Amino acid sequence: MQDKMYDQIVVKLNYKDYQYGSGVLLWSADKKHKYLCTAWHCLNKEENIESKSLFVSRQINGKLESLPITICKHIYNEELDVSILEIEGSSDFPLIQVMDLCRGDKTNIVGFPYALKDAFIPRYPLESKIVGVLENNFLQINSERTLSTYESPVKSVVAGCSGSGIYFEYLEELYFCGVVIMLSSSEGAFESLNGINAKGIQKILLE
């Protein structure tokens, strides 16, 4: 059940052929507006994002498929490094429930790490744990698996994960909890990531 939902809402981004990242498709609560949420640096921290410069794709049944969208509006927060694009285009994705996280919650970070760009199945669910819920809606997240390899440092392995959604799975239900922004340190110390919770994203939309 969750894999089918990930197929529909998790997206891979390629901006101007050189900036890579991940994102998540979201509806407004009244299902009148559609959004693509990601990390602002995945869009090169630009204010004006042209639809023709952003290539969006999804993994459907294990294969990448292009997702044409038209950007109507760009909302961003420089301090939090969050970008929210109001879009037109495909409506074949579900309205996902939102959940607040607490310290100790087990989560999944689901996106398209650059290290798997040539893999048969490029999307990856990274098991993680919330270790801190801080002011300004920041999350501290620890990976439950090592992020480095014998040949590549953490930074290289997780490149492309910025903008990935943070999700909580319970039985057959899937909850959206926030987005990953960056490594907690440039060296990838303690396999730790920073994120913004769903409450912070909702606040940006209301500003």
Side-chain angles (χ1 to χ4, degrees):
M1 179 67 177
Q2 282 97 347
D3 283 339
K4 289 294 184 183
M5 292 187 74
Y6 288 137
D7 278 1
Q8 295 171 304
I9 65 174
V10 179
V11 295
K12 179 180 180 180
L13 307 179
N14 184 342
Y15 184 59
K16 293 185 174 178
D17 293 326
Y18 65 84
Q19 198 76 29
Y20 295 90
S22 300
V24 55
L25 297 174
L26 299 168
W27 284 99
S28 60
D30 58 10
K31 216 171 180 184
K32 291 183 178 180
H33 304 279
K34 293 175 285 189
Y35 301 105
L36 194 167
C37 185
T38 186
W40 190 28
H41 71 262
C42 294
L43 302 175
N44 205 36
K45 294 192 173 183
E46 294 181 13
E47 295 183 26
N48 300 313
I49 310 298
E50 296 184 4
S51 302
K52 65 181 182 181
S53 300
L54 180 62
F55 182 77
V56 182
S57 55
R58 294 184 294 189
Q59 179 181 297
I60 307 294
N61 296 322
K63 296 182 179 180
L64 280 179
E65 294 185 5
S66 173
L67 180 70
I69 65 166
T70 299
I71 299 169
C72 304
K73 184 179 181 181
H74 182 207
I75 306 164
Y76 66 93
N77 184 294
E78 183 174 357
E79 179 185 359
L80 301 181
D81 192 23
V82 172
S83 180
I84 304 169
L85 301 172
E86 185 173 346
I87 61 172
E88 291 180 350
S90 175
S91 298
D92 66 337
F93 62 93
L95 173 63
I96 186 171
Q97 298 183 70
V98 173
M99 176 179 168
D100 283 334
L101 292 171
C102 299
R103 184 176 180 181
D105 282 340
K106 301 280 188 175
T107 54
N108 274 346
I109 295 169
V110 185
F112 292 88
Y114 188 69
L116 295 179
K117 68 182 188 303
D118 297 322
F120 180 70
I121 301 177
R123 192 182 71 213
Y124 189 77
L126 180 65
E127 295 175 352
S128 53
K129 180 179 179 180
I130 302 301
V131 296
V133 181
L134 310 179
E135 294 182 4
N136 212 9
N137 299 303
F138 273 103
L139 298 171
Q140 284 182 303
I141 314 157
N142 270 12
S143 169
E144 297 282 82
R145 300 184 182 184
T146 182
L147 298 178
S148 59
T149 69
Y150 289 113
E151 297 181 353
S152 302
V154 172
K155 189 173 182 178
S156 298
V157 173
V158 301
C161 281
S162 292
S164 294
I166 305 165
Y167 305 94
F168 183 86
E169 297 180 6
Y170 180 72
L171 299 178
E172 295 297 313
E173 296 294 330
L174 183 66
Y175 299 86
F176 171 71
C177 306
V179 294
V180 171
I181 301 303
M182 65 187 77
L183 288 168
S184 294
S185 73
S186 58
E187 294 81 17
F190 309 116
E191 316 286 333
S192 182
L193 302 161
N194 285 342
I196 303 299
N197 65 17
K199 187 182 296 183
I201 293 167
Q202 291 172 324
K203 183 178 178 181
I204 293 170
L205 283 172
L206 293 173
E207 289 177 348

